[in-house]
Short mmCIF file of all heavy atoms in Angstrom, two decimals:
data_model
loop_
_atom_site.label_atom_id
_atom_site.label_comp_id
_atom_site.label_asym_id
_atom_site.label_seq_id
_atom_site.Cartn_x
_atom_site.Cartn_y
_atom_site.Cartn_z
N SER B 963 -73.20 55.19 -23.74
CA SER B 963 -73.59 54.78 -25.28
C SER B 963 -73.38 55.85 -26.15
O SER B 963 -72.83 55.54 -27.35
CB SER B 963 -75.09 54.37 -25.16
OG SER B 963 -75.88 55.49 -24.93
N VAL B 964 -73.41 57.01 -25.78
CA VAL B 964 -72.95 58.09 -26.71
C VAL B 964 -71.53 58.02 -27.05
O VAL B 964 -71.02 58.17 -28.22
CB VAL B 964 -73.38 59.57 -26.27
CG1 VAL B 964 -72.74 60.59 -27.21
CG2 VAL B 964 -74.76 59.69 -26.06
N VAL B 965 -70.76 57.84 -26.06
CA VAL B 965 -69.27 57.55 -26.18
C VAL B 965 -69.12 56.30 -27.14
O VAL B 965 -68.28 56.37 -28.07
CB VAL B 965 -68.59 57.35 -24.86
CG1 VAL B 965 -67.13 56.97 -25.11
CG2 VAL B 965 -68.72 58.60 -23.93
N GLY B 966 -69.88 55.36 -26.91
CA GLY B 966 -69.76 54.14 -27.70
C GLY B 966 -69.85 54.29 -29.09
O GLY B 966 -69.09 53.75 -29.94
N TYR B 967 -70.92 55.11 -29.55
CA TYR B 967 -71.06 55.25 -30.96
C TYR B 967 -70.31 56.45 -31.57
O TYR B 967 -70.40 56.75 -32.70
CB TYR B 967 -72.43 55.12 -31.51
CG TYR B 967 -73.48 56.19 -31.00
CD1 TYR B 967 -73.39 57.53 -31.52
CD2 TYR B 967 -74.46 55.87 -30.07
CE1 TYR B 967 -74.27 58.39 -31.17
CE2 TYR B 967 -75.31 56.82 -29.75
CZ TYR B 967 -75.29 58.12 -30.26
OH TYR B 967 -76.13 59.03 -29.77
N SER B 968 -69.64 57.08 -30.71
CA SER B 968 -68.83 58.22 -31.20
C SER B 968 -67.35 57.91 -31.35
O SER B 968 -66.58 58.62 -31.86
CB SER B 968 -68.87 59.43 -30.16
OG SER B 968 -70.24 59.86 -29.94
N MET B 969 -67.04 56.61 -30.86
CA MET B 969 -65.61 56.34 -31.07
C MET B 969 -65.53 55.32 -32.29
O MET B 969 -66.25 54.34 -32.42
CB MET B 969 -65.01 55.56 -29.86
CG MET B 969 -64.77 56.58 -28.67
SD MET B 969 -64.31 55.59 -27.27
CE MET B 969 -62.61 55.41 -27.52
N PRO B 970 -64.56 55.56 -33.07
CA PRO B 970 -64.38 54.65 -34.25
C PRO B 970 -63.98 53.26 -33.56
O PRO B 970 -63.29 53.21 -32.51
CB PRO B 970 -63.00 55.18 -34.89
CG PRO B 970 -62.90 56.60 -34.49
CD PRO B 970 -63.53 56.69 -32.98
N ASN B 971 -64.42 52.18 -34.28
CA ASN B 971 -64.23 50.85 -33.62
C ASN B 971 -62.72 50.43 -33.50
O ASN B 971 -62.34 49.75 -32.54
CB ASN B 971 -65.03 49.80 -34.36
CG ASN B 971 -64.60 49.70 -35.85
OD1 ASN B 971 -63.49 50.18 -36.20
ND2 ASN B 971 -65.41 49.07 -36.67
N PHE B 972 -61.84 50.98 -34.33
CA PHE B 972 -60.48 50.61 -34.14
C PHE B 972 -59.88 51.38 -32.96
O PHE B 972 -58.94 50.87 -32.33
CB PHE B 972 -59.60 50.90 -35.43
CG PHE B 972 -59.69 52.46 -35.84
CD1 PHE B 972 -58.77 53.25 -35.28
CD2 PHE B 972 -60.55 52.86 -36.83
CE1 PHE B 972 -58.78 54.56 -35.72
CE2 PHE B 972 -60.53 54.13 -37.31
CZ PHE B 972 -59.64 55.14 -36.69
N VAL B 973 -60.48 52.47 -32.62
CA VAL B 973 -60.03 53.12 -31.39
C VAL B 973 -60.38 52.30 -30.15
O VAL B 973 -59.60 52.10 -29.20
CB VAL B 973 -60.53 54.60 -31.24
CG1 VAL B 973 -60.31 55.15 -29.90
CG2 VAL B 973 -59.95 55.39 -32.32
N ILE B 974 -61.65 51.82 -30.23
CA ILE B 974 -62.09 50.92 -29.05
C ILE B 974 -61.11 49.80 -28.96
O ILE B 974 -60.69 49.34 -27.93
CB ILE B 974 -63.54 50.53 -29.33
CG1 ILE B 974 -64.45 51.76 -29.32
CG2 ILE B 974 -63.92 49.56 -28.19
CD1 ILE B 974 -65.90 51.43 -29.60
N ALA B 975 -60.87 49.18 -30.19
CA ALA B 975 -59.97 48.02 -30.21
C ALA B 975 -58.70 48.34 -29.65
O ALA B 975 -58.16 47.55 -28.82
CB ALA B 975 -59.92 47.50 -31.66
N ALA B 976 -58.11 49.49 -30.07
CA ALA B 976 -56.82 49.90 -29.62
C ALA B 976 -56.70 49.97 -28.11
O ALA B 976 -55.87 49.53 -27.31
CB ALA B 976 -56.31 51.25 -30.26
N PHE B 977 -57.79 50.66 -27.54
CA PHE B 977 -57.81 50.78 -26.06
C PHE B 977 -58.00 49.48 -25.30
O PHE B 977 -57.38 49.26 -24.34
CB PHE B 977 -58.83 51.83 -25.62
CG PHE B 977 -58.45 53.24 -25.79
CD1 PHE B 977 -59.10 54.06 -26.64
CD2 PHE B 977 -57.39 53.70 -25.04
CE1 PHE B 977 -58.63 55.40 -26.90
CE2 PHE B 977 -56.97 55.05 -25.24
CZ PHE B 977 -57.61 55.91 -26.10
N LEU B 978 -58.83 48.65 -25.91
CA LEU B 978 -58.89 47.32 -25.30
C LEU B 978 -57.67 46.58 -25.21
O LEU B 978 -57.34 45.91 -24.27
CB LEU B 978 -59.98 46.55 -26.07
CG LEU B 978 -61.48 46.90 -25.80
CD1 LEU B 978 -62.35 46.06 -26.82
CD2 LEU B 978 -61.83 46.58 -24.39
N ILE B 979 -56.93 46.68 -26.43
CA ILE B 979 -55.70 46.04 -26.42
C ILE B 979 -54.72 46.63 -25.42
O ILE B 979 -53.97 45.87 -24.71
CB ILE B 979 -55.03 45.99 -27.84
CG1 ILE B 979 -55.81 45.14 -28.80
CG2 ILE B 979 -53.60 45.68 -27.80
CD1 ILE B 979 -55.23 45.04 -30.12
N LEU B 980 -54.76 47.83 -25.31
CA LEU B 980 -53.84 48.51 -24.28
C LEU B 980 -54.24 48.09 -22.83
O LEU B 980 -53.33 47.64 -22.09
CB LEU B 980 -54.07 50.07 -24.32
CG LEU B 980 -53.05 50.90 -25.04
CD1 LEU B 980 -53.39 52.40 -24.94
CD2 LEU B 980 -51.68 50.59 -24.55
N ILE B 981 -55.46 47.98 -22.64
CA ILE B 981 -55.93 47.60 -21.25
C ILE B 981 -55.65 46.14 -21.05
O ILE B 981 -54.99 45.73 -20.12
CB ILE B 981 -57.39 47.81 -21.05
CG1 ILE B 981 -57.68 49.41 -21.10
CG2 ILE B 981 -57.81 47.37 -19.64
CD1 ILE B 981 -59.15 49.73 -21.09
N PHE B 982 -56.18 45.29 -21.87
CA PHE B 982 -56.06 43.75 -21.61
C PHE B 982 -54.78 43.17 -22.16
O PHE B 982 -54.25 42.32 -21.51
CB PHE B 982 -57.25 43.13 -22.30
CG PHE B 982 -58.52 43.35 -21.65
CD1 PHE B 982 -59.47 44.31 -22.26
CD2 PHE B 982 -58.86 42.68 -20.48
CE1 PHE B 982 -60.58 44.47 -21.62
CE2 PHE B 982 -60.10 43.00 -19.90
CZ PHE B 982 -60.88 43.84 -20.39
N GLY B 983 -54.32 43.63 -23.17
CA GLY B 983 -53.03 43.00 -23.72
C GLY B 983 -51.78 43.49 -23.10
O GLY B 983 -50.89 42.85 -22.95
N VAL B 984 -51.75 44.86 -22.95
CA VAL B 984 -50.46 45.37 -22.51
C VAL B 984 -50.44 45.62 -21.03
O VAL B 984 -49.54 45.17 -20.33
CB VAL B 984 -50.20 46.80 -23.25
CG1 VAL B 984 -48.93 47.33 -22.85
CG2 VAL B 984 -50.25 46.54 -24.82
N TRP B 985 -51.43 46.34 -20.52
CA TRP B 985 -51.31 46.65 -19.12
C TRP B 985 -51.70 45.54 -18.21
O TRP B 985 -51.06 45.30 -17.09
CB TRP B 985 -52.11 47.86 -18.78
CG TRP B 985 -51.57 49.17 -19.43
CD1 TRP B 985 -50.28 49.30 -19.74
CD2 TRP B 985 -52.23 50.30 -19.84
NE1 TRP B 985 -50.12 50.56 -20.26
CE2 TRP B 985 -51.34 51.17 -20.39
CE3 TRP B 985 -53.49 50.66 -19.80
CZ2 TRP B 985 -51.62 52.51 -20.94
CZ3 TRP B 985 -53.92 51.97 -20.32
CH2 TRP B 985 -53.03 52.76 -20.90
N LEU B 986 -52.70 44.80 -18.55
CA LEU B 986 -53.17 43.69 -17.68
C LEU B 986 -52.62 42.38 -18.19
O LEU B 986 -52.55 41.41 -17.43
CB LEU B 986 -54.67 43.58 -17.59
CG LEU B 986 -55.44 44.80 -17.00
CD1 LEU B 986 -56.90 44.39 -16.82
CD2 LEU B 986 -54.80 44.90 -15.60
N ASP B 987 -52.05 42.40 -19.38
CA ASP B 987 -51.44 41.20 -20.06
C ASP B 987 -52.31 39.95 -19.64
O ASP B 987 -51.98 38.92 -19.28
CB ASP B 987 -50.06 40.91 -19.36
CG ASP B 987 -49.29 40.06 -20.35
OD1 ASP B 987 -49.85 39.75 -21.44
OD2 ASP B 987 -48.11 39.63 -20.10
N ASN B 988 -53.60 40.19 -19.96
CA ASN B 988 -54.64 39.21 -19.46
C ASN B 988 -55.29 38.57 -20.63
O ASN B 988 -54.95 38.52 -21.80
CB ASN B 988 -55.66 40.04 -18.62
CG ASN B 988 -56.55 39.10 -17.83
OD1 ASN B 988 -56.24 37.79 -17.88
ND2 ASN B 988 -57.46 39.65 -17.12
N VAL B 989 -56.49 37.99 -20.37
CA VAL B 989 -57.36 37.35 -21.32
C VAL B 989 -56.69 36.91 -22.61
O VAL B 989 -56.49 35.72 -22.88
CB VAL B 989 -58.54 38.29 -21.65
CG1 VAL B 989 -59.71 37.49 -22.05
CG2 VAL B 989 -59.01 38.97 -20.17
N THR B 990 -56.55 37.86 -23.50
CA THR B 990 -55.99 37.34 -24.77
C THR B 990 -54.57 36.91 -24.64
O THR B 990 -53.97 36.39 -25.53
CB THR B 990 -55.96 38.55 -25.84
OG1 THR B 990 -55.15 39.58 -25.37
CG2 THR B 990 -57.46 38.98 -26.04
N GLY B 991 -54.02 37.14 -23.58
CA GLY B 991 -52.60 36.95 -23.29
C GLY B 991 -51.65 37.53 -24.34
O GLY B 991 -50.68 36.99 -24.68
N GLY B 992 -52.08 38.61 -24.80
CA GLY B 992 -51.36 39.29 -25.83
C GLY B 992 -51.55 38.70 -27.23
O GLY B 992 -51.09 39.25 -28.24
N ASN B 993 -52.30 37.62 -27.25
CA ASN B 993 -52.50 36.98 -28.66
C ASN B 993 -53.63 37.70 -29.18
O ASN B 993 -54.84 37.23 -29.14
CB ASN B 993 -52.80 35.52 -28.45
CG ASN B 993 -51.55 34.80 -28.10
OD1 ASN B 993 -50.51 35.38 -27.95
ND2 ASN B 993 -51.71 33.47 -28.05
N PHE B 994 -53.54 38.79 -29.92
CA PHE B 994 -54.66 39.33 -30.50
C PHE B 994 -54.80 38.92 -31.98
O PHE B 994 -55.28 39.56 -32.75
CB PHE B 994 -54.62 40.88 -30.58
CG PHE B 994 -53.67 41.49 -29.54
CD1 PHE B 994 -52.60 42.07 -30.04
CD2 PHE B 994 -53.93 41.36 -28.30
CE1 PHE B 994 -51.71 42.64 -29.20
CE2 PHE B 994 -52.97 41.83 -27.33
CZ PHE B 994 -51.81 42.46 -27.84
N TYR B 995 -54.20 37.79 -32.33
CA TYR B 995 -54.33 37.38 -33.61
C TYR B 995 -55.29 36.21 -33.72
O TYR B 995 -55.57 35.60 -32.60
CB TYR B 995 -52.97 36.98 -34.23
CG TYR B 995 -52.41 35.70 -33.59
CD1 TYR B 995 -52.58 34.51 -34.29
CD2 TYR B 995 -51.84 35.72 -32.38
CE1 TYR B 995 -52.15 33.25 -33.71
CE2 TYR B 995 -51.42 34.55 -31.77
CZ TYR B 995 -51.52 33.38 -32.38
OH TYR B 995 -51.03 32.29 -32.00
N TYR B 996 -55.67 35.77 -34.79
CA TYR B 996 -56.74 34.83 -34.93
C TYR B 996 -56.09 33.53 -35.43
O TYR B 996 -55.47 33.44 -36.48
CB TYR B 996 -57.76 35.35 -35.89
CG TYR B 996 -58.90 34.37 -36.01
CD1 TYR B 996 -59.97 34.41 -35.19
CD2 TYR B 996 -59.01 33.58 -37.13
CE1 TYR B 996 -61.11 33.58 -35.38
CE2 TYR B 996 -60.08 32.71 -37.29
CZ TYR B 996 -61.14 32.76 -36.48
OH TYR B 996 -62.18 31.89 -36.59
N GLN B 997 -56.35 32.49 -34.63
CA GLN B 997 -55.72 31.25 -35.11
C GLN B 997 -56.89 30.41 -35.65
O GLN B 997 -57.76 30.05 -34.84
CB GLN B 997 -54.99 30.56 -34.01
CG GLN B 997 -53.97 29.57 -34.32
CD GLN B 997 -53.03 29.36 -33.20
OE1 GLN B 997 -53.46 29.38 -32.01
NE2 GLN B 997 -51.73 29.12 -33.48
N LEU B 998 -56.78 29.96 -36.82
CA LEU B 998 -57.82 29.31 -37.46
C LEU B 998 -57.92 27.83 -36.96
O LEU B 998 -56.99 27.08 -37.21
CB LEU B 998 -57.73 29.35 -38.97
CG LEU B 998 -59.01 28.96 -39.79
CD1 LEU B 998 -59.99 30.02 -39.59
CD2 LEU B 998 -58.55 28.90 -41.17
#
Side-chain angles (χ1 to χ4, degrees):
Chain B
S963 65
V964 176
V965 173
Y967 63 74
S968 301
M969 284 177 85
N971 58 16
F972 60 84
V973 169
I974 297 177
F977 278 117
L978 283 175
I979 287 186
L980 259 182
I981 298 173
F982 287 103
V984 180
W985 292 331
L986 293 186
D987 203 4
N988 193 7
V989 197
T990 61
N993 286 2
F994 346 110
Y995 71 101
Y996 183 83
Q997 204 160 34
L998 197 66

